Amino acid sequence: MLRFAIKKIFNNKALMLSLFAGILVAILISCTIPVYSAGISHRMLVTQLENYQNENKVSPGAVIISCSLAAFKQETGEGGVVDKFDSSANILNFNYCTDYLNASLFPELYMPEIVKSTSLSTTTMFAGDKRDTNKSNLNEVVLCSNDKLTEGIEIIDGRLPSGTLNDKGFVEVIISKATQSNTKFSVGNVLEVGMLKEDILEEYTDTDLSFEIVGIFDYVSSAVNPIITNDSGNEIYVDYGLFFNELFVKKNLASKATWYFAGDYTKYNLDKIKNTINALDNLNNNLVVWGIAESAATVTPPIDQYQSYFDNVRAINVLLALFYTPILILVVFFIFMLSKFVVENDKNEIAMLNSRGAARKQIVLLYLLQGGLAVVAGILISPLLSLILCRFLGASSGFLEFAQRAPMKIVLSSSAYLFCFFAGVLTILTMLLPVYNAAKIEIVQHKRNRVKSSVLGTVLLGVLTFVCAGVSAYSYYVLVMQQGGLFTAGGSIQPLAYVFLISFFAFVALFFVLLYPLFLKLILLITKKKLSASIYSAFSRISRMEIREKFIAIFLTLTVAIGVFSSISARTLNGNIQSSIRYQYPCDIITDVKYYAPVGSQNQVLRPYLFEDVEGVESTKVTLGNEPSVNTRFGKRLNYNLTFMGITPDEFSSIVEWDDTILPQPLSYYLDLIKNQPEGCIISENTAKVLGNVEVGDTVLIRPDAALRGMSVINSPVLAIVEAWPTYYADVEAVSGENESNFLVVVNNSAIEKISDNLPHQVWMNTDKSIAELKRLTIERGAQNGTSARLENVINGKREVYLGEINPVRQAVNGSLSLGFIAVMLICAIGFIIYWMISIKSRTLQIGTMRALGMSFKNIFSMIMCEECLLCVSSIVLGVGAGILSGVLFAPLLQSAFTQMGQMPPYRIMFQFTDLIKLAIIIIVLLAVSVVAASIMLKRIKAASAIKLGEE
Amino acid sequence: MNAIIKGVDICRQFPSGNKKIQVLNNVNVDFEEKTLTVLKGRSGSGKTTLMNILGTLDRPTSGRVFAFGEDITDLSEGKLDEIRKNNVSFVFQSVALMGTMSAYENVEFMLRIAKKPMDKERILHCLDLVGLSNRVYHMPYQLSGGEQQRVAIARAIVHRPKVIFADEPTAQLDSETSKVIMNMFHRIIEEEGVTVIMTTHDQNMMELADKVYTLDDGKIVSYVDNREGR
Ligand SMILES: Nc1ncnc2c1ncn2[C@@H]1O[C@H](COP(=O)(O)OP(=O)(O)OP(=O)(O)O)[C@@H](O)[C@H]1O
Ligand SMILES: [Mg+2]
């Protein structure tokens, strides 16, 4: 049986190769999804927590408790209060604390341990060589020990110290390179260590201890323990056990203990977050009870950030699932279609096997073997391929854009194998369905059944189409009208979103399959008389779509639609995030300048503009006003939540970066208005509304400073009413009550200066200078101008833009949509080519007959091309249309995916023409390949032998 | 004698593995205008192969084929397409109708290929000739095998070719219908002035033919002219 299966595969090389490619792609995609999602969430964690790591220099999974043992209020253990000065108290406290941490804190972090270490050290002491009897060369040192020291260092000279006193009774020690160069001690030195009292080294114990340096060490580059690598250049390391016994237990010399634990935060178990929070609270309580709360330096994992990280991961996974769902459905459909093709191709063979008495079970088994071989191969190869693919996708910097980027951490998780396995099983099941059906029908029966089934099929198809249309319309209605967004209150995606997407695509495809033949028949009816044989037969064939044609039409429509849908979704998300960032941060830096009156002076605060002619800084003043208000001549007044913005149009336009598609006119148009009519103003739509539907041309009275006398008002004609302005957008949240909205009025600085040139202002600038430099500059310049000025509320636009670019949501969406697009195009290509191969192959007799009837090769070729146009090109065109439509319908729902991004400019649906071009190129290549393949296959068909084939 | 088609010393070999099988061996045949000639022989004797060569669908390994007063052995594919389109037509052992076209459309399709006017009268007449005037708009899958074969015959005559090659056109038909078909061939020979060349196993058909060639193992073993006896 197996032999027969393999033989069959070899007999049908091209078809089997494509089938195999199809199965491989299907499994590959299934396998890539979990790998990629994991990679993305990991990178997200890194992005989110790397700031923490940079600021704190410790891993977000680290606990550090470092305290002076003398600070403990009392003995903490259960043995009752011991005299604080009793030498055993420190040891009891230390042991108690160690036990507590090991038993009650570290396990409650629910992270696998990476490092755990305990350090003990003395206070600062002095050390000198024993031979240096007048102690002329003493060095400050700390005797320390760490139970994991050897894991982080390598000896570069000498050896590791012994765990016991050596034969001379010395304590063996090692020092770091830094300590060596600080103290000039080296291997072989025997040190005397003690406190310094009136410049005399006083022995610190009754019994001398001498310390012999036996080694110099350096840190290994992979050291993960910051407690060790934190080198002050004065540490002298003693073996931990020796330190504990000799220096701590016997001599009570340990003064400071540090406990360190680092867990793998990427493996944090979020379900246990309550326990972790409790444990950390408990720790803080204990620190207070023990009396070391103030003196101890403690670092604990930023659990709140964990929470938000895991929330984000969930949100992203949900989003990814949304994008992958149609693709996975497509993949299943694809495999079903492929096996249907294969079975149809083998129809005669199946019938023959049937007639020879092969049981249905045996036929199914034969195909099971065939498919099984392909699936097993697929399962073996695809995890590896998916790693490569993910690496590639991990470099995605935009939709279908790949830039070199820090590589994503990609590992094959068990879920990848699981997905892989399930995809394989599903593939086999999907494959067997058509085989199972085919195996029971004999050829004659098959032919007879066709009439009945075609009528029944059409009716069924019609009903299905209507159901799909209804479902998609209803779910869209519910999504948009009633729930107003894509997300449920819990933050996951509305299941209806899937329903909508799937039913919409299904509707489009079914509608096409249902209506298109009718349409072709109509054309055929009209043009019948004029059509040439090749075009006529193409029309006649496609207008009486058989199951195979229906499949490929649905398939092509779906793939292309999903491709275009991916493209629109990705572009819309990207574009809106991008412009929302650009729009909130229109220049490198926006900062308030606060001026203070000189101490003791009663003078008015002066606010000179300090950024005139600063080298390397391009800046403009944006006047803020002081409790500004606007009113109309008819008494309508607005004096709350009002953003007053005095600008200098020319400077403003050169500094602000603005997406000119946000407003109906480019920004320069509005700036020109206000430049040419300096007393005029631009107001926001909601301002106009609150002021009683003010229109362009009406005059409003603007008072930039409530503290000024009554005449200080700008009589200002309204030049334009806008929806958005750099940094301003009417608060989306506050739709409930107008009173909560924020309002905007923009005027020319020159008009304000006529009233007062001393209003509070912001500075908007583009510069490469650091914020610290700018702050210093402000203080200096302020002093030169006789004021004391400070920069406050500095907004770093550059950084925000950068953060936006590495925004993990964006990366996830881009990567997954790129993956979707690539996958879809890949299976589209394979499906397409297989269809044509089978289509031509199965029509050998027909084509041979046509040749015998006198159609030339050229005629036949043009017939095939015409069929291709009628079937595939139209499916593709429809797919593009459906994709655009679904993207346009769906894109507004995506808006809710990033309302947390803060202020939004008007949300726009975006589409990039280049994506269509990419799509077109792929399709043209496909068509070209199919033309070449078709002509090769057609050339091979010899009428005489083709007809002979039909005789059987 | 007025031979419209003539094969001289026709040999045809087929490669089979690394051997060659000699399917036709120095076959000499000629076909008179407006006659019904039958090629008879056991299965595998080379009837179809010979027909294909005479009908321009295949080329002989050696020997020459003359048709319509011309040596067509070495003509280009394009020229042969022209001949097939206008002068010869086929009825195959395998029925080979266009599955997505009705009986009427199948017949009409031949006119389309030959770029002849699509005269409805003519099409219906041809379908009537084969006795299918009540099956005109049926699709092939709604027709019986014999009915399909008759549509193929109607298709073969509709554009008034000079020669019709029919490879076992009666194989799927009962003897009554077969006789009807043979008579129909005679009718169209008379009415349309065509020449019919057909193969058959059926002994009963021989008497209805004008001439009979018998093939055995790639050689012509006998030749009978029935008209001589009439
Ligand atoms: N393309 C080919 N390649 C190899 N051998 C062939 C080819 N075509 C025909 N033959 C062989 O040539 C011989 C004659 O075949 P042909 O089809 O002409 O027989 P036939 O007389 O028409 O038989 P039937 O009455 O069964 O139709 C057969 O033995 C066949 O195996
Ligand atoms: Mg034959």
Side-chain angles (χ1 to χ4, degrees):
Chain A
M1 198 64 162
L2 188 66
R3 258 241 208 95
F4 192 55
I6 293 172
K7 218 174 98 194
K8 247 177 80 67
I9 291 176
F10 274 96
N11 284 344
N12 232 337
K13 260 178 267 160
L15 185 58
M16 281 300 154
L17 211 67
S18 337
L19 181 66
F20 176 69
I23 290 174
L24 186 66
V25 168
I27 297 179
L28 178 62
I29 290 166
S30 322
C31 178
T32 303
I33 291 172
V35 174
Y36 184 64
S37 304
I40 277 290
S41 1
H42 177 261
R43 183 190 270 170
M44 195 165 71
L45 181 73
V46 171
T47 322
Q48 184 162 347
L49 295 183
E50 92 187 338
N51 283 342
Y52 177 88
Q53 187 135 13
N54 285 342
E55 281 165 22
N56 297 284
K57 302 285 177 245
V58 283
S59 139
V63 175
I64 303 174
I65 296 160
S66 182
C67 68
S68 156
L69 291 169
F72 280 89
K73 259 195 225 155
Q74 57 181 47
E75 185 269 321
T76 48
E78 282 147 23
V81 179
V82 180
D83 182 355
K84 184 173 171 187
F85 299 101
D86 186 323
S87 67
S88 65
N90 279 353
I91 296 163
L92 288 173
N93 286 338
F94 172 79
N95 284 339
Y96 180 80
C97 208
T98 307
D99 291 346
Y100 161 75
L101 292 174
N102 281 335
S104 312
L105 182 68
F106 300 153
E108 295 292 301
L109 295 177
Y110 293 99
M111 299 175 206
E113 170 188 318
I114 297 173
V115 205
K116 188 166 80 181
S117 76
T118 315
S119 322
L120 283 167
S121 57
T122 64
T123 48
T124 309
M125 302 206 270
F126 292 86
D129 195 296
K130 259 199 150 166
R131 293 161 297 181
D132 179 14
T133 41
N134 21 338
K135 308 297 175 216
S136 55
N137 184 20
L138 295 182
N139 280 295
E140 282 193 8
V141 296
V142 175
L143 292 171
C144 350
S145 67
N146 182 299
D147 59 350
K148 296 288 162 58
L149 178 68
T150 50
E151 285 170 17
I153 59 160
E154 57 185 359
I155 296 290
I156 51 173
D157 189 12
R159 57 176 171 83
L160 284 170
S162 134
T164 54
L165 298 177
N166 69 8
D167 45 7
K168 288 171 246 164
F170 297 159
V171 175
E172 290 185 349
V173 296
I174 51 176
I175 57 176
S176 71
K177 253 170 48 181
T179 307
Q180 184 194 25
S181 78
N182 253 356
T183 59
K184 308 284 181 289
F185 293 149
S186 63
V187 176
N189 283 133
V190 177
L191 306 178
E192 236 175 354
V193 182
M195 302 296 194
L196 205 60
K197 200 176 206 177
E198 289 156 14
D199 290 342
I200 301 163
L201 185 68
E202 188 174 277
E203 296 295 341
Y204 50 85
T205 54
D206 337 343
T207 0
D208 287 16
L209 270 184
S210 297
F211 298 85
E212 181 178 359
I213 298 175
V214 295
I216 313 289
F217 66 83
D218 199 358
Y219 303 102
V220 295
S221 55
S222 58
V224 284
N225 191 339
I227 307 302
I228 299 173
T229 52
N230 193 356
D231 188 338
S232 318
N234 63 1
E235 290 90 353
I236 292 180
Y237 274 98
V238 182
D239 174 79
Y240 182 78
L242 188 60
F243 190 103
F244 193 85
N245 293 328
E246 291 294 323
L247 300 177
F248 192 18
V249 176
K250 286 196 188 150
K251 304 204 163 66
N252 195 22
L253 271 175
S255 82
K256 189 178 156 201
T258 302
W259 293 272
Y260 175 68
F261 174 89
D264 183 357
Y265 56 86
T266 59
K267 302 214 174 81
Y268 182 67
N269 182 354
L270 191 71
D271 300 339
K272 301 289 188 184
I273 194 159
K274 284 226 170 70
N275 301 35
T276 308
I277 290 172
N278 276 341
L280 290 175
D281 284 348
N282 196 14
L283 171 71
N284 286 330
N285 283 338
N286 280 340
L287 294 181
V288 174
V289 170
W290 300 339
I292 58 171
E294 261 137 58
S295 63
T298 46
V299 170
T300 50
I303 289 297
D304 47 337
Q305 291 194 30
Y306 277 56
Q307 180 72 62
S308 71
Y309 158 69
F310 284 103
D311 285 351
N312 278 345
V313 167
R314 202 175 324 119
I316 283 182
N317 280 340
V318 165
L319 207 58
L320 290 184
L322 180 73
F323 289 130
Y324 285 136
T325 305
I327 292 169
L328 283 179
I329 290 178
L330 195 68
V331 165
V332 171
F333 181 80
F334 172 66
I335 292 176
F336 183 71
M337 181 180 84
L338 279 190
S339 44
K340 191 127 181 102
F341 283 180
V342 171
V343 166
E344 217 171 285
N345 191 52
D346 291 355
K347 221 163 41 189
N348 288 337
E349 208 161 331
I350 292 175
M352 187 194 78
L353 287 173
N354 238 334
S355 66
R356 284 199 195 152
R360 186 171 177 183
K361 242 196 269 166
Q362 276 174 308
I363 294 174
V364 172
L365 194 67
L366 176 67
Y367 280 85
L368 185 68
L369 273 174
Q370 266 186 80
L373 285 177
V375 166
V376 166
I379 289 179
L380 289 181
I381 303 176
S382 30
L384 253 165
L385 282 181
S386 84
L387 279 188
I388 297 168
L389 188 63
C390 281
R391 211 144 275 157
F392 181 61
L393 287 173
S396 72
S397 56
F399 180 63
L400 294 183
E401 284 153 27
F402 302 97
Q404 213 51 51
R405 213 176 253 288
M408 208 158 75
K409 183 186 142 213
I410 293 160
V411 282
L412 275 180
S413 54
S414 54
S415 59
Y417 287 108
L418 207 69
F419 263 65
C420 198
F421 177 75
F422 276 118
V425 171
L426 191 67
T427 303
I428 293 186
L429 289 182
T430 318
M431 274 186 72
L432 287 186
L433 203 67
V435 177
Y436 190 74
N437 279 334
K440 73 177 166 194
I441 297 167
E442 280 158 38
I443 283 293
V444 192
Q445 211 180 338
H446 179 80
K447 274 188 182 163
R448 292 283 161 199
N449 279 345
R450 244 165 48 172
V451 198
K452 223 165 60 192
S453 73
S454 84
V455 174
L456 200 77
T458 312
V459 171
L460 217 68
L461 214 63
V463 171
L464 208 63
T465 310
F466 275 104
V467 169
C468 283
V471 168
S472 73
Y474 176 73
S475 55
Y476 189 70
Y477 167 78
V478 171
L479 275 179
V480 173
M481 305 296 164
Q482 301 194 338
Q483 286 165 344
L486 199 53
F487 292 85
T488 60
S492 56
I493 291 207
Q494 296 279 8
L496 263 187
Y498 302 99
V499 175
F500 165 68
L501 270 188
I502 293 161
S503 59
F504 179 78
F505 285 134
F507 160 68
V508 170
L510 291 177
F511 191 68
F512 176 65
V513 164
L514 204 64
L515 268 206
Y516 189 59
L518 293 181
F519 170 73
L520 285 185
K521 270 180 199 155
L522 194 72
I523 291 186
L524 198 58
L525 210 68
I526 296 167
T527 55
K528 207 170 184 173
K529 290 274 171 254
K530 295 173 207 102
L531 292 182
S532 75
S534 14
I535 295 178
Y536 177 83
S537 95
F539 260 95
S540 131
R541 180 174 166 79
I542 305 301
S543 71
R544 292 204 176 94
M545 264 189 204
E546 292 204 17
I547 195 87
R548 198 193 304 141
E549 277 74 39
K550 282 181 183 154
F551 263 103
I552 194 77
I554 291 177
F555 176 71
L556 283 179
T557 310
L558 286 184
T559 45
V560 174
I562 289 172
V564 173
F565 169 77
S566 301
S567 145
I568 292 181
S569 302
R571 294 299 175 197
T572 301
L573 269 174
N574 275 324
N576 280 289
I577 290 179
Q578 185 71 33
S579 63
S580 120
I581 290 167
R582 255 288 150 233
Y583 146 94
Q584 288 179 80
Y585 309 101
C587 55
D588 289 352
I589 284 167
I590 296 178
T591 174
D592 289 350
V593 191
K594 281 276 155 58
Y595 296 86
Y596 302 94
V599 187
S601 140
Q602 291 299 324
N603 292 345
Q604 189 201 357
V605 180
L606 289 177
R607 302 185 178 93
Y609 185 65
L610 300 175
F611 285 83
E612 211 91 61
D613 301 324
V614 181
E615 206 181 312
V617 179
E618 209 196 339
S619 73
T620 184
K621 174 175 163 183
V622 174
T623 311
L624 294 177
N626 178 25
E627 293 177 39
S629 62
V630 193
N631 53 291
T632 61
R633 294 220 181 101
F634 316 106
K636 289 258 186 190
R637 186 170 154 82
L638 175 65
N639 62 349
Y640 53 86
N641 289 348
L642 178 65
T643 306
F644 176 86
M645 213 186 257
I647 60 167
T648 312
D650 285 340
E651 287 177 8
F652 194 76
S653 87
S654 73
I655 284 180
V656 162
E657 202 170 306
W658 176 255
D659 179 351
D660 274 335
T661 60
I662 293 178
L663 289 173
Q665 301 283 346
L667 187 65
S668 60
Y669 166 84
Y670 300 98
L671 292 176
D672 281 347
L673 285 180
I674 213 168
K675 179 181 165 191
N676 297 333
Q677 216 173 328
E679 72 283 3
C681 68
I682 295 171
I683 61 175
S684 63
E685 278 174 359
N686 56 357
T687 311
K689 213 165 135 212
V690 165
L691 291 177
N693 293 326
V694 167
E695 285 171 10
V696 170
D698 292 354
T699 300
V700 293
L701 307 172
I702 302 168
R703 182 192 293 269
D705 187 345
L708 289 177
R709 313 224 102 231
M711 296 306 288
S712 310
V713 167
I714 309 167
N715 233 324
S716 178
V718 173
L719 302 177
I721 296 175
V722 294
E723 196 187 347
W725 192 254
T727 71
Y728 169 84
Y729 188 67
D731 210 340
V732 194
E733 300 286 296
V735 276
S736 47
E738 271 177 2
N739 287 348
E740 283 161 30
S741 268
N742 51 341
F743 305 96
L744 173 81
V745 55
V746 182
V747 290
N748 194 324
N749 270 335
S750 68
I752 303 171
E753 276 154 15
K754 283 185 189 146
I755 300 166
S756 165
D757 57 359
N758 196 32
L759 288 172
H761 64 258
Q762 285 182 330
V763 182
W764 291 26
M765 57 185 134
N766 288 330
T767 180
D768 286 332
K769 284 197 183 340
S770 72
I771 290 171
E773 269 179 286
L774 292 170
K775 284 187 167 169
R776 207 174 326 115
L777 187 111
T778 311
I779 295 170
E780 278 167 20
R781 287 231 165 180
Q784 284 164 18
N785 285 278
T787 62
S788 81
R790 296 274 183 284
L791 291 190
E792 280 179 15
N793 305 328
V794 183
I795 296 169
N796 189 342
K798 240 190 221 167
R799 179 160 174 78
E800 295 295 337
V801 169
Y802 167 73
L803 287 179
E805 267 163 17
I806 61 170
N807 178 326
V809 175
R810 227 172 124 181
Q811 284 186 9
V813 168
N814 281 329
S816 61
L817 287 178
S818 300
L819 171 66
F821 193 82
I822 292 169
V824 155
M825 288 305 129
L826 216 66
I827 59 176
C828 176
I830 294 172
F832 187 81
I833 287 170
I834 291 184
Y835 168 75
W836 280 109
M837 270 171 32
I838 293 188
S839 167
I840 293 178
K841 206 170 152 236
S842 72
R843 289 163 67 196
T844 313
L845 169 64
Q846 196 189 34
I847 289 167
T849 311
M850 286 174 166
R851 295 280 282 133
L853 294 184
M855 282 175 81
S856 64
F857 174 76
K858 240 171 55 203
N859 290 152
I860 306 252
F861 189 68
S862 63
M863 174 187 84
I864 296 282
M865 289 303 113
C866 182
E867 282 178 10
E868 194 158 301
C869 282
L870 286 178
L871 188 65
C872 300
V873 175
S874 63
S875 305
I876 288 166
V877 168
L878 179 81
V880 170
I884 291 177
L885 186 62
S886 66
V888 167
L889 285 175
F890 203 73
L893 294 175
L894 288 175
Q895 185 173 12
S896 44
F898 54 105
T899 39
Q900 76 267 30
M901 299 280 308
Q903 278 188 312
M904 280 298 305
Y907 184 82
R908 285 158 308 145
I909 291 160
M910 302 186 191
F911 185 67
Q912 242 179 39
F913 198 64
T914 50
D915 290 347
L916 259 196
I917 292 177
K918 280 175 197 164
L919 191 71
I921 290 173
I922 293 173
I923 288 168
I924 288 170
V925 168
L926 272 185
L927 289 180
V929 168
S930 72
V931 166
V932 173
S935 70
I936 291 173
M937 291 187 71
L938 286 181
K939 274 251 153 68
R940 284 217 198 127
I941 295 180
K942 292 268 170 285
S945 44
I947 290 156
K948 215 166 238 149
L949 272 180
E951 286 176 13
E952 284 153 14
Chain B
M1 197 171 68
N2 202 353
I4 189 164
I5 298 221
K6 188 172 171 180
V8 179
D9 292 339
I10 289 174
C11 293
R12 182 69 168 101
Q13 296 173 339
F14 286 111
S16 157
N18 29 16
K19 279 189 290 177
K20 282 182 181 161
I21 8 175
Q22 188 82 21
V23 175
L24 293 177
N25 200 350
N26 281 317
V27 172
N28 285 292
V29 281
D30 53 69
F31 303 94
E32 243 175 276
E33 224 174 332
K34 297 177 193 161
T35 56
L36 174 63
T37 310
V38 163
L39 292 173
K40 142 183 148 139
R42 281 185 290 122
S43 178
S45 54
K47 304 185 293 290
T48 304
T49 309
L50 179 59
M51 283 255 277
N52 283 343
I53 288 171
L54 296 172
T56 73
L57 293 178
D58 196 3
R59 291 174 195 269
T61 317
S62 68
R64 308 226 64 91
V65 181
F66 298 87
F68 318 112
E70 199 184 351
D71 183 350
I72 62 163
T73 325
D74 298 320
L75 285 186
S76 69
E77 270 302 307
K79 286 261 168 54
L80 293 182
D81 282 334
E82 285 302 308
I83 293 178
R84 284 201 287 268
K85 204 151 74 182
N86 300 316
N87 294 335
V88 301
S89 67
F90 297 88
V91 178
F92 298 112
Q93 210 166 340
S94 57
V95 177
L97 292 181
M98 302 297 131
T100 57
M101 300 180 200
S102 67
Y104 180 89
E105 286 167 337
N106 261 288
V107 178
E108 185 194 54
F109 188 57
M110 190 63 237
L111 290 175
R112 254 178 231 283
I113 293 175
K115 301 215 167 75
K116 298 244 166 81
M118 282 169 279
D119 181 0
K120 191 170 179 179
E121 296 285 296
R122 170 77 186 156
I123 296 165
L124 292 177
H125 173 71
C126 291
L127 284 168
D128 192 34
L129 268 182
V130 294
L132 284 178
S133 37
N134 55 349
R135 294 276 189 280
V136 173
Y137 296 109
H138 281 54
M139 298 301 288
Y141 60 80
Q142 296 168 316
L143 295 171
S144 76
E147 284 166 337
Q148 291 183 35
Q149 191 63 281
R150 285 185 273 162
V151 175
I153 293 169
R155 179 176 69 183
I157 59 175
V158 67
H159 60 307
R160 301 177 204 275
K162 295 190 179 132
V163 181
I164 295 171
F165 290 96
D167 196 0
E168 303 192 28
T170 56
Q172 302 185 41
L173 307 179
D174 58 283
S175 57
E176 262 329 287
T177 321
S178 302
K179 275 203 183 107
V180 173
I181 293 282
M182 291 304 273
N183 288 331
M184 186 198 76
F185 275 139
H186 280 297
R187 211 167 119 200
I188 54 178
I189 288 168
E190 248 150 62
E191 281 179 19
E192 319 254 338
V194 300
T195 308
V196 176
I197 302 167
M198 64 177 275
T199 66
T200 184
H201 293 130
D202 196 340
Q203 208 54 44
N204 300 332
M205 298 298 117
M206 308 300 167
E207 298 142 26
L208 296 168
D210 295 326
K211 294 201 291 183
V212 179
Y213 282 105
T214 308
L215 263 169
D216 190 22
D217 207 10
K219 288 189 191 114
I220 299 288
V221 290
S222 83
Y223 167 70
V224 180
D225 195 333
N226 287 335
R227 287 170 302 179
E228 286 165 5
R230 280 178 201 160

